[in-house]
Amino acid sequence: MAKLDSTIDRASESFRQKAGAYETLITDLGDKLAWARAGGGEAMVARHRERDKIPVRERIDLLIDPGTGFLELTPLAGWGLYDGDLAAAGIVTGIGCVRGTSCMIIANDATVKGGSFYRETVKKHIRAQDIAMQNRLPCVYLVDCGGANLNQMEEVFYDENHFGGTFHRQCRMSAAGIPQLAAVFGECTAGGAYIPALCDEFIMVEGAASIHLGGPQIVKAAISEVIDRHELGGAALHGRQSGVADHIVPDELAAIGRLRDMVASLAYAQPFVSNRATTAPPLYDAEDIPGIVGTDLKEPVDPREIIARVVDSSDFHEFKPEWGATIVCGTARIDGFAVGIIANNGVLFSEACLKATHFIELCDQRGHPIIFLQNTTGFMVGRDAELGGIAKHSAKLVYAMSNTRVPRLTLVTGGSYGAGNYGMSGRGFRPHFMFMWPNARLGGMAPEVGAGVLMDLRRASISRNPATEEELTEHEAKLRAMFEEKSDPYFCTARLFDDGIIDPRDTRRVLGLCLAIVSMRPKVRGQRPVYRM
């Protein structure tokens, strides 16, 4: 396989300036991740420990196998919302190895709003379950949950992807033979009681855990019975009398140990891809990526320079290198896994759409997962583009991407706007994983384009709605600020439009973990012909 060459001069002033500017973004990302890891704050964590309870991320560290990684998903969910009080949306989700088995771990953080489910909490919980279902990962729930936030009923209760949707997924996964296990560490009330109750097997911590469909306040209001939560639904009652719980343990460490044993007892088969090769590091250092990319989205970046710092041995077999130059397609390996890569290299013309469509069909036939590197303003516009059939050819790309049978992993490395985001496997098309870099932007239009369109509409209505030139200038500035805000990566990740923002230097590691996960999913049988575009 041909090796990629790099033309980057690390000693150049341009490289140093870009690297320096990007370092500010990385520092900012670190600060925001510290907010997520802090949970409900020092006082709430101290109170948690006083009750002999272990903070949620420490529980996960104890649960997963020593020396193995944990791929945390959307740690910045809730950022900038609820006055900053919903750290990580009150729940930690991610994939870790437990007694040799890769599991989806879904863990409530009771230091954040008592572990209650807000809109973002439900969305994050469901996203984790969907990944588990897609890749047949056992689910391990670390439950410490106050149920649904009663002030957000219209956003957490009624709809198919609200709180009830989490239980529906549990039932469907269990029926499909995907194990559902739980340990209850604290109060588990109302809808939250169904999380362990719908599991195949679960544990309760004596003296700390309780499960009840209606908590003491509801019982008092409904039937005038005064009772505390342990008498109502504690571990002793459910483990020795009602039979609801399967195991009682004396403390949290024992619960985590028992959970590990439960996973081991599954003897759950997870077949990995058979053609995984010996891995080899890239020839070029990932530390260069910030200096290559910089923070100015208007400055073009050759995606081959990124690929050369991500793929094994910097080997890349490029497909149609002399045609459709605004998209780069080719095959490579990442951490030994064979992949196809589709990377933007500018605006998407008809030729680029046809090239990518053809390449997707090749990957589908060969069983290669596809990695989409998004950095585009979208599909080409204008009369010439329309005359050349851009609507038809872009639709072919969208159709091929939507119907491919192989896993899709999406990474936004720059701007990702409009229908270009769709054609490049955006969130609406359910990629198996989707991450962003801190310099990335995601939106229906680039800020300058969106503001320009709305300003043209505003000026067209000037006779009906008069305004001075000064008022129009102020209005344009507000429009630009709105588009900037809503395309910001932290605005997007707070609302779970991705699976997390990652440091560009961690790209190879994150993609390698994701490829290992998607390699466990059932393989689609049967071949399809490749139609040359």
Side-chain angles (χ1 to χ4, degrees):
M1 197 177 291
K3 294 190 183 298
L4 289 167
D5 291 324
S6 177
T7 60
I8 297 300
D9 180 5
R10 302 182 75 230
S12 69
E13 182 63 24
S14 172
F15 181 92
R16 289 199 298 267
Q17 287 180 353
K18 288 180 181 178
Y22 211 106
E23 188 59 38
T24 302
L25 297 184
I26 292 172
T27 300
D28 183 50
L29 174 61
D31 291 342
K32 289 180 169 64
L33 289 172
W35 163 83
R37 288 191 291 267
E42 290 183 9
M44 289 303 298
V45 172
R47 183 180 175 189
H48 203 66
R49 291 189 188 279
E50 287 169 4
R51 297 174 174 175
D52 294 323
K53 300 183 76 172
I54 301 170
V56 63
R57 284 182 174 79
E58 292 182 25
R59 287 173 181 163
I60 293 171
D61 287 342
L62 292 166
L63 177 65
I64 63 177
D65 295 343
T68 62
F70 177 65
L71 179 62
E72 185 172 349
L73 303 170
T74 47
L76 295 176
W79 168 261
L81 305 173
Y82 311 102
D83 297 320
D85 290 339
L86 196 68
I91 192 168
V92 180
T93 64
I95 299 164
C97 190
V98 181
R99 295 290 292 271
T101 300
S102 292
C103 299
M104 176 60 74
I105 300 168
I106 300 175
N108 305 112
D109 186 351
T111 71
V112 180
K113 303 292 185 181
S116 296
F117 275 73
Y118 283 65
R119 174 185 60 225
E120 292 73 22
T121 319
V122 173
K123 191 171 182 181
K124 185 169 175 176
H125 188 115
I126 281 178
R127 174 60 181 156
Q129 289 180 307
D130 285 346
I131 290 172
M133 195 180 312
Q134 198 169 45
N135 298 290
R136 297 192 62 84
L137 300 173
C139 289
V140 179
Y141 302 89
L142 309 185
V143 189
D144 207 344
C145 166
N149 173 19
L150 298 179
N151 293 315
Q152 279 194 336
M153 283 293 97
E154 73 282 7
E155 297 188 83
V156 301
F157 179 73
Y158 302 98
D159 212 348
E160 61 185 18
N161 283 327
H162 286 174
F163 205 12
T166 69
F167 310 137
H168 173 73
R169 285 163 171 81
Q170 271 187 262
C171 296
R172 298 284 293 177
M173 281 192 279
S174 183
I178 302 172
Q180 306 290 297
L181 308 174
V184 183
F185 295 97
E187 187 169 10
C188 194
T189 189
Y194 280 113
I195 298 174
L198 291 171
C199 281
D200 308 328
E201 192 175 358
F202 78 91
I203 301 159
M204 292 184 74
V205 177
E206 191 159 21
S210 61
I211 295 174
H212 26 69
L213 293 183
Q217 298 89 344
I218 294 175
V219 170
K220 181 179 179 182
I223 62 172
S224 301
E225 181 180 357
V226 178
I227 190 169
D228 72 27
R229 70 182 183 92
H230 291 293
E231 290 179 307
L232 180 63
L237 182 142
H238 283 313
R240 301 187 181 108
Q241 294 177 270
S242 75
V244 169
D246 303 300
H247 308 272
I248 304 176
V249 294
D251 55 38
E252 294 201 3
L253 287 175
I256 292 167
R258 186 67 61 85
L259 259 183
R260 285 178 53 78
D261 290 343
M262 284 163 56
V263 173
S265 73
L266 297 172
Y268 190 71
Q270 291 182 316
F272 282 85
V273 66
S274 58
N275 66 341
R276 185 180 185 184
T278 302
T279 186
L283 299 180
Y284 305 101
D285 197 339
E287 293 290 328
D288 296 343
I289 294 177
I292 294 168
V293 175
T295 58
D296 184 357
L297 295 184
K298 293 180 180 178
E299 188 166 338
V301 177
D302 184 347
R304 298 172 187 86
E305 295 287 358
I306 296 169
I307 295 167
R309 289 159 174 81
V310 172
V311 302
D312 292 3
S313 303
S314 299
D315 287 338
F316 185 62
H317 176 64
E318 189 166 348
F319 177 70
K320 292 186 184 292
E322 305 296 327
W323 189 72
T326 60
I327 203 159
V328 174
C329 304
T331 52
R333 287 186 183 269
I334 295 177
D335 203 18
F337 294 100
V339 297
I341 298 174
I342 300 177
N344 295 124
N345 193 26
V347 67
L348 288 161
F349 290 87
S350 288
E351 295 87 350
C353 296
L354 294 175
K355 174 177 167 178
T357 301
H358 188 172
F359 184 70
I360 288 170
E361 291 197 335
L362 287 173
C363 291
D364 186 274
Q365 187 189 66
R366 297 168 183 174
H368 294 339
I370 305 173
I371 295 172
F372 291 83
L373 302 181
Q374 293 189 354
N375 183 19
T376 183
T377 53
F379 296 110
M380 189 60 189
V381 297
R383 186 179 185 280
D384 288 346
E386 298 296 348
L387 185 63
I390 188 66
K392 174 176 63 178
H393 298 314
S394 63
K396 290 176 183 175
L397 173 58
V398 171
Y399 187 89
M401 177 273 300
S402 299
N403 286 291
T404 185
R405 299 168 297 177
V406 297
R408 290 177 283 117
L409 282 64
T410 301
L411 175 64
V412 188
T413 65
S416 178
Y417 298 112
N421 168 271
Y422 290 174
M424 289 292 292
S425 187
R427 185 66 151 196
F429 291 82
R430 296 169 175 80
H432 290 66
F433 291 95
M434 178 174 169
F435 298 96
M436 298 177 73
W437 284 352
N439 64 300
R441 295 293 183 271
L442 191 64
M445 289 184 180
E448 62 274 11
V449 176
V453 169
L454 292 183
M455 279 306 298
D456 285 346
L457 293 172
R458 178 66 184 90
R459 290 181 186 280
S461 68
I462 201 77
S463 60
R464 300 188 304 276
N465 188 10
T468 66
E469 197 60 37
E470 182 180 351
E471 288 171 335
L472 289 174
T473 301
E474 182 181 353
H475 182 61
E476 184 172 13
K478 287 180 179 178
L479 288 174
R480 179 67 179 263
M482 177 195 72
F483 279 103
E484 291 281 4
E485 177 192 2
K486 293 188 177 182
S487 64
D488 184 87
Y490 295 104
F491 180 95
C492 296
T493 202
R495 293 158 179 79
L496 291 103
F497 299 156
D498 64 6
D499 292 315
I501 298 173
I502 64 171
D503 185 327
R505 298 169 298 187
D506 291 334
T507 298
R508 175 177 163 82
R509 180 182 63 83
V510 171
L511 291 178
L513 288 170
C514 292
L515 288 167
I517 293 158
V518 299
S519 73
M520 291 183 254
R521 64 194 294 272
K523 304 298 182 290
V524 177
R525 298 184 181 276
Q527 297 296 318
R528 295 194 302 196
V530 174
Y531 296 101
R532 296 186 64 85
M533 292 293 110

